[in-house]
Amino acid sequence: MEEKEKFLSNTCSFVNVKPIMMDLPYPPTQVREKNPMHANLLSMDYCGSVSEMSAVTQYINNENRLSCEKCSLAKTILGIAMAEMIHLQKLGELIFLLGGSIDFIARQNNGRRRMWTPEYLVIPTDASKMLIADIESEKSAIQQYRMHIKMIQDDQVNSVLARIIQDEEYHIMLLQMLLKEL
């Protein structure tokens, strides 16, 4: 009798997972005029230590580590990551329109530059600590966006940032609910 080979596999299907975000349109991605200082501020939101690049990477890492054991949670985390990818894309467009560079280097207006690194990530080992880290990252992002809105003198840019904040607030609410369910 022939013995069948056994394989370990992930049975969690990610087909039909969609971005998890507020059901509201984004304002047009446009700027009043080129402004390299505003582009530099957005580069920190794009790829700084508190950034959409960090959020996407942290969420994808968490999703990968959860998918075999907590499929439903992993799907939600992937949906949030997809929304963060949209934020990353919107910021990239704004940086380009403002005359900045899109090269994974966060530029501060004092001339300091730092390339994005995975050292920015928080990678806990259990699901509850992952969710807590994700909630804290979302709160930090909101705080940074609000600070940048005060500094940027372009209502077109600020309307996109305000819309991104709405998604981030929604993510916090969702993550807090998931944390309670663990």
Side-chain angles (χ1 to χ4, degrees):
M1 200 177 249
E2 203 173 296
E3 189 173 319
K4 288 187 178 181
E5 286 188 64
K6 293 188 179 186
F7 297 96
L8 295 176
S9 65
N10 185 353
T11 59
C12 188
S13 172
F14 293 97
V15 174
N16 300 324
V17 173
K18 293 182 174 42
I20 295 176
M21 50 206 279
M22 295 294 291
D23 189 18
L24 299 169
Y26 277 89
T29 307
Q30 55 193 23
V31 302
R32 294 279 175 205
E33 61 188 4
K34 288 187 182 279
N35 186 319
M37 291 180 71
H38 292 167
N40 288 348
L41 287 172
L42 294 184
S43 75
M44 289 184 273
D45 299 320
Y46 186 83
C47 63
S49 59
V50 174
S51 68
E52 298 299 339
M53 186 66 178
S54 293
V56 167
T57 308
Q58 184 166 306
Y59 280 122
I60 292 294
N61 183 275
N62 289 347
E63 172 269 315
N64 279 294
R65 291 182 298 136
L66 292 168
S67 66
C68 290
E69 296 175 359
K70 296 183 182 332
C71 182
S72 178
L73 179 57
K75 286 180 180 184
T76 301
I77 296 297
L78 178 60
I80 294 172
M82 293 166 79
E84 303 296 354
M85 288 178 208
I86 291 168
H87 300 164
L88 187 69
Q89 189 272 333
K90 298 269 182 217
L91 290 171
E93 284 183 14
L94 289 171
I95 292 166
F96 177 79
L97 292 171
L98 289 165
S101 297
I102 303 159
D103 52 11
F104 301 108
I105 295 174
R107 292 168 170 78
Q108 295 179 354
N109 286 325
N110 64 8
R112 290 187 53 204
R113 301 161 39 112
R114 178 126 191 233
M115 181 170 265
W116 185 86
T117 174
E119 292 174 0
Y120 293 149
L121 306 180
V122 176
I123 306 177
T125 55
D126 72 37
S128 63
K129 288 180 182 171
M130 285 179 202
L131 293 174
I132 291 167
D134 292 341
I135 290 166
E136 291 308 311
S137 294
E138 294 283 4
K139 287 178 179 179
S140 295
I142 290 168
Q143 182 179 4
Q144 182 169 288
Y145 280 128
R146 287 186 175 140
M147 181 178 65
H148 288 170
I149 285 171
K150 288 178 183 174
M151 298 168 78
I152 292 174
Q153 306 301 312
D154 185 323
D155 61 323
Q156 298 297 309
V157 173
N158 287 340
S159 66
V160 174
L161 299 182
R163 174 60 187 83
I164 290 172
I165 288 172
Q166 289 178 304
D167 285 341
E168 307 299 22
E169 290 171 335
Y170 182 63
H171 295 161
I172 290 171
M173 186 261 317
L174 197 60
L175 292 164
Q176 288 172 334
M177 286 175 34
L178 292 168
L179 186 59
K180 287 178 186 174
E181 290 174 8
L182 285 181

